[in-house]
């Protein structure tokens, strides 16, 4: 009992070894992205035509692409854009989604209006909606973030609203009201802190979806401009050489899988840990 | 000159809009609580006692519930008399927690699980007493001391799940008392606790009442508790007051048949059967549709034709009142 809650948190979290591995993988990827200029062996845009489409070798560990650019370096720099876009999408959709979810769940008259919009947005397939939005807005990193945020915010609204509906009926909310606590404070402290855990879990999943969706959009040409290396654009521009030079698409693809998979596993781990019923079973 | 009571509910009617139409859980309730006095509000589930208390707190579920008639007069600390039923909700909010406080039945779920108990007390005193952060924490420790929680300085940083049910109810009381309310509404505060803890909590509430001189409206269905804590008792049935009386008189000679039936349900008062064992009686039937006459008539052993057809008024007689046509006959 006299254990620091943070320590306890990590001990529970890492009881499953897979979650620990996923966390480490994620940590390494994030570190790589942050320290890209120092860890990348080459400039990601340095073109050397004589070394074009070289398989993995001692100079270029993961080979080179059609312009002779080092794939490892591009993956490392690509992590910045891919994870950066994913992270931005998470932040925007969490903020907006939590706000509207709380309001819809707490103020009943708002609920109908908000949820109809949410239903309408969720009726459309994710990637189709994103392609449409980017096509209308124009291809840029900012617009990709905007489009994917519009796609994923409704999910957050749903989760937050559902939790809010449950929590607002709990006795401690009424007790807080009986103490004269304002509706704003009830929402922003009493309820928000209690919906934090499902939102956190949802955040890791949305992060994973966003990384995948960004890659998909870039691959389809509805993503970020090709000059900016992201994992998606690397696969997109490399696909025509994939027959002869599989490494051009394989390694960025692996990077996407690794990042998305470890995010999902971390999300699962968080969910299992934060759900008291599952926690006991572990 | 006698000062007016702290709380005077006058002919209160609460209506709820439901999908099946309008219902009236409280139909003309009149009761009063003086400063320093404990009034017990007794009745079975659904008799309207909790709804009455929510109406006083201005916490009727909106937009379904509303006060349809009557007044809830409350004497403020400034001696000003206000009608809580007609008060704007923003004003009402300032009163809640500062001058009127409430403790609830469920100590296990009435505290926010993710805030430390110190933070929860501090929240209330910062808002109502305008204390700063340090002052609020100091006040929280004081309050925990007041409700006899040992080692308050350490426990103030603990979370609800680290405490037992009895301790949590103490915290709830500390929360309610933190801004020195003049009226405390206790909605079955001991129902969820085991018997030994119940007695402690009752003694604590009673001690605080004496020390601070606040009025207590004690909502319960437990007549044993009533005998212990109350000065006066108001018995409710189907949304109406059926009897109101000083506690001694009520236990000695109940006037309304429902009150006597309730008292006969107490094991200690039950009559012994042929084999010498006590026979706890139950009241047959359930609360039916409320029509013209006495709401209790369908379940009443003494009811006559007139009980069902004519409306029955609350008949006052000195300190006591009863809503029964035949109470004199039955008593005799």
């Amino acid at each position: 009992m006299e254990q620091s809650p943070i320590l306890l948190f990590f001990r529970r979290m890492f009881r499953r070894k897979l979650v620990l591995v996923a966390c480490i993988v994620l940590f390494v990827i994030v570190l790589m992205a942050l320290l890209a200029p120092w860890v990348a062996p080459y400039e990601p845009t340095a073109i050397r035509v004589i070394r074009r489409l070289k398989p993995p070798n001692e100079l270029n560990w993961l080979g080179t692409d059609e312009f002779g650019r080092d794939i490892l370096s591009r993956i490392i720099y690509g992590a910045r854009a891919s994870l950066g876009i994913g992270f931005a999408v998470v932040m925007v959709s969490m903020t907006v989604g939590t706000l509207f979810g709380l309001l819809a769940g707490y103020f009943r008259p708002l609920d109908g209006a908000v949820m109809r919009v949410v239903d309408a947005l969720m009726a459309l397939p994710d990637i189709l909606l994103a392609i449409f939005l980017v096509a209308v807005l124009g291809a840029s990193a900012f617009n990709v973030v905007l489009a994917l945020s519009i796609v994923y915010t409704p999910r957050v609204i749903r989760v937050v609203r559902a939790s809010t509906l449950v929590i607002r009926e709990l006795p401690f909310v009424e007790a807080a009201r009986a103490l004269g606590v304002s509706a704003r404070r009830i929402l922003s402290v009493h309820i928000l802190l209690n919906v934090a855990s499902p939102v956190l879990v949802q955040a890791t999943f949305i992060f994973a979806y966003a990384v995948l969706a960004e890659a998909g959009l870039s691959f389809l040409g509805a993503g970020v401009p090709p000059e900016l290396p992201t994992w998606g654009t690397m696969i997109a521009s490399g696909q025509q050489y994939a027959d002869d030079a599989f490494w051009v698409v394989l390694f960025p693809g692996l990077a996407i899988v690794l990042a998305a998979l470890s995010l999902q596993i971390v999300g699962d781990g968080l969910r299992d840990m934060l759900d008291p019923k599952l926690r006991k079973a572990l | 000159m006698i000062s007016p009571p702290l709380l005077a509910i006058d002919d209160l009617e609460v209506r709820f809009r439901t999908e099946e139409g309008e219902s009236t859980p409280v139909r003309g309730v009149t009761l009063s609580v003086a400063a320093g006095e404990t009034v017990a509000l007794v009745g079975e589930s659904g008799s309207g006692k909790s709804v009455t208390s929510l109406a006083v707190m201005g916490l009727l579920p909106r937009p379904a519930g509303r006060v349809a008639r009557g007044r809830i007069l409350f004497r403020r600390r400034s001696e000003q008399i206000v009608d809580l039923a007609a008060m704007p909700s923003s004003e009402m909010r300032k009163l809640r927690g500062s001058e009127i406080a409430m403790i609830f039945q469920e100590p296990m779920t009435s505290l926010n699980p993710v805030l430390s108990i110190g933070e929860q007390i501090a929240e209330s005193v910062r808002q109502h007493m305008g204390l700063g952060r340090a002052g609020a924490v100091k006040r929280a420790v004081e309050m925990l001391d007041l409700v006899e929680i040992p080692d308050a300085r350490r426990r103030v940083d603990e979370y609800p799940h680290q405490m037992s049910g009895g301790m949590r109810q103490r915290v709830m009381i500390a929360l309610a008392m933190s801004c020195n309310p003049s009226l405390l509404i206790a909605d079955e505060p001991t129902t969820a606790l085991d018997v030994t803890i119940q007695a402690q909590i009752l003694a604590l509430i009673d001690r605080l009442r004496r020390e601070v001189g606040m009025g207590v409206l004690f909502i319960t269905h437990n007549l044993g508790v009533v005998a212990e804590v109350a000065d006066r008792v108001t018995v409710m049935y189907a949304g109406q007051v059926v009897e109101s009386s000083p506690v001694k008189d009520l236990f000695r000679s109940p006037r309304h048949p429902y009150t006597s039936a309730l008292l006969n349900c107490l094991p200690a008062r039950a009559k012994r059967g042929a084999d010498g064992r006590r026979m706890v009686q139950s009241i047959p039937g359930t609360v039916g549709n409320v029509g013209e006459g006495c709401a209790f008539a369908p379940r009443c052993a003494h009811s006559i034709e007139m009980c069902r057809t004519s409306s029955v008024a609350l008949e006052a007689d000195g300190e006591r009142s009863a809503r029964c046509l035949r109470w004199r006959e039955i008593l005799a």
Side-chain angles (χ1 to χ4, degrees), chain A residues 19 82 111 116 119-120 172 184 202 228-229 235 244:
Chain A
V19 179
S82 290
D111 191 35
R116 289 304 77 73
D119 288 343
F172 70 78
R184 205 176 77 190
Q202 196 65 23
L228 186 68
I235 297 177
D244 311 313

Side-chain angles (χ1 to χ4, degrees), chain A residues 167-189:
Chain A
I167 293 165
R168 69 192 288 263
E169 300 299 334
L170 292 181
F172 70 78
V173 172
E174 185 170 39
R177 236 179 263 144
L179 284 169
V181 178
S182 64
R184 205 176 77 190
R185 206 178 143 77
I186 285 177
L187 265 181
S188 64
V189 178

Side-chain angles (χ1 to χ4, degrees), chain A residues 1-2 108 168 170-183 185-186 189-191 193-194, chain B residues 54 57 59 93 96-97 100 102 104 109-115 123-124 127-128 158 162 172 175-176:
Chain A
M1 191 174 141
E2 291 303 317
R108 304 301 297 153
R168 69 192 288 263
L170 292 181
F172 70 78
V173 172
E174 185 170 39
R177 236 179 263 144
L179 284 169
V181 178
S182 64
R185 206 178 143 77
I186 285 177
V189 178
H190 290 267
I191 296 183
L193 287 178
N194 281 287
Chain B
L54 289 180
M57 293 298 288
L59 288 176
R93 188 162 65 73
R96 278 203 295 270
I100 308 176
M102 185 161 179
F104 293 88
T109 49
S110 295
L111 291 166
N112 191 330
V114 298
L115 293 176
E123 175 178 51
S124 172
Q127 178 172 338
H128 292 301
E158 288 191 357
Q162 293 167 290
M172 285 303 298
L175 256 172

Side-chain angles (χ1 to χ4, degrees), chain B residues 13 21 29 36 45-46 55 64 75 83 98 146 169 192 202 209 213 258 264 282 302 323:
Chain B
E13 182 177 294
V29 163
S45 311
R75 178 157 52 90
D83 182 4
S98 63
L146 183 72
Q169 196 58 292
L202 292 178
R209 174 189 61 81
Y258 176 63
N264 286 336
S282 60
H302 305 283
R323 192 188 290 273

